[in-house]
Amino acid sequence: MEIETLAIHGGRSVDLATGAVATPIYLSTTFEREPDGSYPHGFEYIRSGNPNRKMLEDCLAALEGGSVAAAFASGSAATASVFQALAPGDHVIAPEDAYTGTGTLLRSIFAPWGLAVTFVDMTDVEQVKQAVHPNTRLIWIETPSNPLLKVTDIAKVATIAHQANAICACDNTWASPFLQRPFQQGVDLVVHSTTKYLGGHSDVLGGAVVAQQDSDFFQRIRQVQTAGGAVASPFDCWLVLRGIQTLPCRMRTHAANALKIATFLDQHPAIEAVHYPGLPHHPGHTIATQQMSNGYGGMLSVQVKGDRERAFSVLAKMSLFTRATSLGGVESLIEHRASIEGAGTKTPDNLLRLSIGLEHGDDLIADLEQALG
Ligand code: PLP
């Protein structure tokens, strides 16, 4: 089945009890046992399972072409579950430009807990190879990356991981399964912040881990989910599932708008650099073309000519774009990324990150033109 169909039907059916076409929200925290002690519907207690969460997990597994999924209360909780499923003493290779929250988890929580971590430029596969140690258990990919939209060759890094008997996980938040399906390039786990494109409307926090195959490692993630309890609530699962129904339509427009805006900004005299993998001069363009389909995503960054003050003066003039962090919603957002990332960031001070929404591309261009002018 194609992804447009899976987005609407994956994991769901008409409600058997009532015939409701739109999925009901099951708020019950507990489920009835039969006289013999069994649970005929498969649900026992909300932390270990809930019908809305099961539907979302089944849908996400279908969208990514995986087997099983675990939904969490946030993307960061989903990310943390993968690290928690490792053992102290294990070694992780991660990109030096991973999402700041992922870097913080590794540096501040999991390094003291006993994980060894090496950060590399993941676009350079030689660096990844050099970083492999006998205790390497996990290679973490994030592509396109934040905020420079660097592109990692997923298939090559997955091969390095498997040669080292390590697991390869890919944070697919920025592309979404509509634009990139990392299992096709050989990764073992896909991680999402469903807060972004999957939810799609800037109104729900969530995350998920999808596994290509059920495995002992995935069962460990499941245990972290149900024993730790950082699960997605029924309403949050319902909101993400509702958002997923329009994912393919939304992603097409996000990507078309972003390409149009990137092309416009690329020729603008007030812009020093545009980072968007859809532009032919982007260093990751060829790999992105190979491993992404239907477009290059809705995220782009620009470096304005000038300093931090100039970047802030452009921000101050934006009118349709909202000055706010996050991404993946229907509305366009713009942010000064270095000040969000805080002390120690390597993000250039003249960089603005744009999450391109679903407004008309010409209106967004007009807004940028007047702000840059
Ligand atoms: N991964 C990526 C690529 C992100 O951009 C984010 C958040 O911005 C996360 C993970 C964390 O997601 P959440 O905010 O849902 O915890």
Side-chain angles (χ1 to χ4, degrees):
M1 244 184 249
E2 298 296 328
I3 194 162
E4 287 84 351
T5 313
L6 293 171
I8 291 169
H9 296 287
R12 282 154 292 195
S13 62
V14 170
D15 184 49
L16 290 178
T18 63
V21 173
T23 309
I25 304 173
Y26 298 90
L27 293 173
S28 186
T29 56
T30 189
F31 298 84
E32 189 183 30
R33 289 178 89 166
E34 288 293 287
D36 65 2
S38 64
Y39 290 96
H41 305 288
F43 301 105
E44 183 186 326
Y45 177 61
I46 190 168
R47 180 156 43 74
S48 51
N50 158 276
N52 295 99
R53 201 163 91 219
K54 169 127 180 55
M55 285 184 246
L56 174 60
E57 291 174 344
D58 289 350
C59 181
L60 288 171
L63 290 183
E64 286 289 359
S67 305
V68 273
F72 287 86
S74 72
S76 299
T79 300
S81 79
V82 180
F83 303 146
Q84 279 175 286
L86 297 168
D90 286 346
H91 176 242
V92 178
I93 303 174
E96 59 191 5
D97 59 343
Y99 164 61
T100 22
T102 303
T104 303
L105 278 174
L106 285 168
R107 285 187 185 92
S108 306
I109 304 215
F110 287 98
W113 180 75
L115 288 188
V117 190
T118 306
F119 291 96
V120 297
D121 175 357
M122 209 44 79
T123 62
D124 178 356
V125 284
E126 283 311 311
Q127 274 198 39
V128 183
K129 274 188 201 154
Q130 302 288 321
V132 170
H133 295 320
N135 60 337
T136 302
R137 275 301 307 286
L138 174 72
I139 303 188
W140 185 269
I141 297 174
E142 188 187 312
T143 183
S145 74
N146 179 14
L148 289 176
L149 285 293
K150 289 193 189 167
V151 175
T152 291
D153 189 323
I154 303 174
K156 283 197 178 142
V157 174
T159 303
I160 296 169
H162 295 152
Q163 280 165 352
N165 283 327
I167 290 159
C168 187
C170 179
D171 183 333
N172 201 26
T173 299
W174 276 36
S176 91
F178 185 66
L179 302 181
Q180 182 170 273
R181 253 157 290 166
F183 292 140
Q184 292 175 355
Q185 274 85 40
V187 313
D188 307 292
L189 298 173
V190 167
V191 177
H192 278 287
S193 165
T194 58
T195 316
K196 317 299 181 190
Y197 288 109
L198 289 161
H201 296 76
S202 306
D203 54 10
V204 59
L205 178 74
V209 181
V210 188
Q212 202 261 329
Q213 279 187 343
D214 202 352
S215 63
D216 289 347
F217 194 78
F218 180 76
Q219 284 309 316
R220 185 85 184 130
I221 290 170
R222 179 70 85 200
Q223 196 181 23
V224 170
Q225 179 202 33
T226 55
V231 293
S233 77
F235 184 47
D236 288 354
C237 294
W238 186 90
L239 278 173
V240 175
L241 262 181
R242 181 191 164 116
I244 284 173
Q245 292 178 312
T246 53
L247 178 78
C249 301
R250 286 186 286 106
M251 290 316 295
R252 275 198 193 93
T253 305
H254 282 300
N257 270 352
L259 181 60
K260 191 169 176 179
I261 290 165
T263 307
F264 159 76
L265 291 169
D266 205 31
Q267 278 143 28
H268 197 286
I271 296 293
E272 183 182 294
V274 180
H275 306 279
Y276 185 66
L279 294 175
H281 63 67
H282 184 280
H285 178 69
T286 307
I287 298 168
T289 304
Q290 283 159 7
Q291 67 190 22
M292 298 178 82
S293 49
N294 302 312
Y296 299 88
M299 294 300 297
L300 62 101
S301 293
V302 291
Q303 287 176 256
V304 296
K305 277 190 190 151
D307 55 8
R308 177 189 173 99
E309 258 159 55
R310 167 69 180 145
F312 268 95
S313 81
V314 172
L315 279 179
K317 289 193 211 131
M318 299 305 303
S319 122
L320 256 187
F321 279 80
T322 302
R323 289 177 295 276
T325 194
S326 201
L327 62 124
V330 294
E331 65 289 301
S332 292
L333 306 178
I334 187 163
E335 69 169 333
H336 181 254
R337 192 65 201 160
S339 53
I340 285 281
E341 291 179 353
T345 178
K346 288 188 182 147
T347 297
D349 238 352
N350 64 345
L351 182 139
L352 298 174
R353 192 186 84 175
L354 286 73
S355 171
I356 304 298
L358 305 182
E359 301 91 342
H360 197 288
D362 292 344
D363 292 330
L364 295 174
I365 286 176
D367 193 26
L368 286 161
E369 199 157 27
Q370 63 78 25
L372 287 165

